[in-house]
Amino acid sequence: MGDCHYLDGNVKAEKMFAMTQELAKILGIESGRLRLEWISSAEGTRFAEVAREFTEQVKALGPSVLKQAA
């Protein structure tokens, strides 16, 4: 059982994230465009900081290879 108060949601999320990483790899999408963070609903400030940091990280990568192919 996971550490989520919804029983095993975090365990399912981790498995889904791993599958998404594999799919992204197959599609040629950089791993830096995906991120999984455990943030409590009580951590609004941390959520905002992680969202800002991740947005900067993705912008620094430039356009996606998928967008370039279109």
Side-chain angles (χ1 to χ4, degrees), residues 2-65:
D3 192 30
C4 180
H5 71 281
Y6 292 113
L7 303 179
D8 61 353
N10 60 332
V11 174
K12 289 178 183 176
E14 206 163 41
K15 288 178 184 177
M16 184 63 71
F17 184 73
M19 289 190 300
T20 303
Q21 285 178 306
E22 287 300 314
L23 178 60
K25 184 177 178 181
I26 291 167
L27 294 172
I29 298 170
E30 302 99 324
S31 62
R33 294 186 184 277
L34 300 172
R35 185 167 175 175
L36 178 64
E37 289 280 339
W38 302 121
I39 303 174
S40 164
S41 61
E43 297 177 292
T45 302
R46 180 163 180 254
F47 174 81
E49 177 60 26
V50 168
R52 184 199 57 74
E53 179 185 302
F54 185 60
T55 300
E56 289 176 5
Q57 178 182 333
V58 172
K59 282 182 179 180
L61 290 172
S64 158
V65 295

